[in-house]
Amino acid sequence: MVVDTVIIGGGVVGLSILRTALLSGYNAILLERNPHLCDGASGRNSGVICTGVDAAPGSLERALIRDSISRVREFCEDHNVPKRDCGSLVCLWP
């Protein structure tokens, strides 16, 4: 088998790179040591979408985080990924 790209690791980043490579027309293969995808650190996150509440108002960081929230929701809807908008309680102190 001859491929253009070999991606090592089937976590969120590896899968994102694989998707981008395939959609760009590359012949790519993904190598993962675990029996399931996202079985490492990627599968251990809490699944909470970052709100950017602690980013400085008007900062690029906050703008990018706010933009990503709508993109994640749109991606989930477009790809039938289940999600639950359940809210959160965030406590901040100086």
Side-chain angles (χ1 to χ4, degrees), residues 50-70 90 92:
C50 180
T51 63
V53 69
D54 58 340
S59 67
L60 176 61
E61 178 186 13
R62 179 171 271 187
L64 292 173
I65 291 170
R66 294 295 185 175
D67 180 57
S68 71
I69 292 170
S70 61
V90 179
L92 299 173

